[in-house]
Amino acid sequence: MRLIAKNLTFFLLVVMLAIVIAACNPSEYEETTPQIISAASLTDLISNNDNLVIVDMQSPEEYAAEHVNGAVNIIKDDIVINVPVENMLTSKSKFERLMGEKGIDNDSTIIIYDNDKMSAARLWWSLLVYGNENARVIDGGLEAIKRAGIELTGEVPEIQKTTYTADEKNKAFLSDISDVMDQINEPNPNVVLLDVRTDEEFSESGKVPSSVMYDYNNIFYSDNTFKDVQATRINFIDNGMRPEKEIILYCRTSMRASAVFLSLYNAGYRNIKIYDGAYLEWSSNPNNPIELPAGASALPSKKDAS
């Protein structure tokens, strides 16, 4: 009995020590300048930055009706190409030309807002992939700007065209179908395939095998602002995604994935990538495996722009 008691005591001490060690070795996050900024801060930025460019990502019709005074209009279709599938990252040359035409140069401070919770993040991610870290996204988009009482107008500003030079694509933030296939064929426990579509979409059309489902709407509060850094970290750690792991994000066409990428980057995650072809590319090849809910049969997914 004494031997058993001693062994049990030793076992409990080992368990307690393991808990203490884990508590003393929390995940490490990259310290970063906030990439998501409040609408209220826009007024000061406008007043104190001579090389500020505000980008409105509404449709041309919505932009014509109302936008922040001085904002230039860039739409989602300007920053993507549809080859081999919808909403792929546009080429370096087209991206450079677009930025120059909109009066953005390499020294510009770029502030982006939208009204769909994804387009601003997509432009921000595109800038990051092409080497520009001087862009920020307005939290809550146009509605938050309205709540902050910032002046809106229908007048279109005169744009002074510039020259913009992009870096080559930074593959640290970008994955392709071969990376996903590698994870399927030789699973790495330190890699997470993260599907940010809805459970309904999973039920309708399946997912990449072994993917973790995490609806992109979970990154927002009810007023469509991003959840704060602490809440974001807790939510993703609770779902097994610590910053030490590599996280490959996708949705249907990687638009929603861009918003989740922004949320994670803002929270100090750096080992994150977007699978740009996304589920549309994956599911278009009948030879690629698809995981379905138990007892379900695949149906065509509802088509949207994300």
Side-chain angles (χ1 to χ4, degrees):
M1 288 293 292
R2 288 183 179 177
L3 181 60
I4 293 174
K6 286 182 179 179
N7 288 340
L8 180 59
T9 300
F10 178 75
F11 174 75
L12 291 173
L13 286 172
V14 170
V15 170
M16 291 177 65
L17 180 61
I19 292 172
V20 170
I21 291 173
C24 293
N25 290 276
S27 294
E28 293 186 4
Y29 299 91
E30 186 79 16
E31 292 297 325
T32 182
T33 302
Q35 304 297 300
I36 303 167
I37 62 174
S38 69
S41 67
L42 186 55
T43 300
D44 286 340
L45 287 169
I46 293 171
S47 301
N48 299 318
N49 195 316
D50 292 333
N51 200 15
L52 180 74
V53 179
I54 303 171
V55 177
D56 177 301
M57 297 209 66
Q58 300 183 93
S59 71
E61 295 77 19
E62 292 167 322
Y63 171 79
E66 58 177 4
H67 55 266
V68 173
N69 189 33
V72 300
N73 188 215
I74 295 176
I75 62 173
K76 181 263 294 181
D77 289 346
D78 292 335
I79 59 173
V80 300
I81 55 175
N82 295 321
V83 178
V85 293
E86 294 175 36
N87 295 345
M88 300 286 289
L89 177 68
T90 194
S91 68
K92 175 185 173 182
S93 60
K94 289 182 178 179
F95 194 76
E96 289 175 327
R97 184 164 59 252
L98 172 67
M99 294 297 104
E101 289 174 350
K102 296 299 180 178
I104 298 170
D105 62 34
N106 291 85
D107 295 321
S108 298
T109 297
I110 308 163
I111 305 298
I112 317 164
Y113 69 88
D114 59 28
N115 61 354
D116 63 5
K117 302 192 300 182
M118 64 182 83
S119 292
R122 180 66 182 193
L123 175 55
W124 173 90
W125 175 78
S126 301
L127 285 159
L128 182 68
V129 170
Y130 280 124
N132 191 326
E133 300 181 11
N134 201 24
R136 303 292 182 265
V137 170
I138 294 291
D139 199 8
L142 183 62
E143 288 306 310
I145 289 171
K146 290 179 179 179
R147 291 194 297 268
I150 293 171
E151 179 185 1
L152 299 179
T153 182
E155 294 183 11
V156 177
E158 183 176 340
I159 299 174
Q160 184 174 348
K161 295 183 180 181
T162 65
T163 299
Y164 184 89
T165 303
D167 293 345
E168 297 301 323
K169 291 178 184 177
N170 187 344
K171 298 295 182 67
F173 302 129
L174 184 64
S175 281
D176 59 28
I177 195 167
S178 65
D179 298 320
V180 178
M181 188 63 76
D182 287 345
Q183 179 63 14
I184 300 302
N185 293 332
E186 297 183 21
N188 183 337
N190 293 315
V191 175
V192 178
L193 297 176
L194 183 59
D195 186 328
V196 301
R197 297 173 304 145
T198 63
D199 289 337
E200 180 184 10
E201 287 173 282
F202 171 38
S203 297
E204 290 177 340
S205 59
K207 66 178 182 177
V208 177
S210 79
S211 297
V212 175
M213 298 299 299
Y214 189 85
D215 188 333
Y216 114 112
N217 285 297
N218 291 330
I219 68 172
F220 298 103
Y221 290 117
S222 58
D223 64 354
N224 292 333
T225 58
F226 285 88
K227 288 183 177 177
D228 62 72
V229 167
Q230 191 62 27
T232 299
R233 290 174 177 176
I234 291 171
N235 289 345
F236 278 88
I237 285 179
D238 284 349
N239 283 274
M241 286 169 280
R242 306 185 77 87
E244 295 82 10
K245 292 189 174 183
E246 178 180 316
I247 303 173
I248 299 176
L249 299 136
Y250 72 90
C251 53
R252 179 181 174 271
T253 69
S254 74
M255 290 294 294
R256 285 171 287 178
S258 300
V260 181
F261 184 103
L262 170 59
S263 177
L264 287 168
Y265 192 98
N266 189 65
Y269 282 73
R270 287 297 179 273
N271 202 11
I272 45 179
K273 300 181 178 183
I274 288 180
Y275 165 33
D276 200 27
Y279 197 64
L280 183 60
E281 180 184 44
W282 183 268
S283 59
S284 66
N285 185 338
N287 295 318
N288 288 338
I290 290 177
E291 179 181 338
L292 299 170
S297 58
L299 298 173
S301 177
K302 290 181 179 179
K303 186 172 183 179
D304 59 29
S306 60

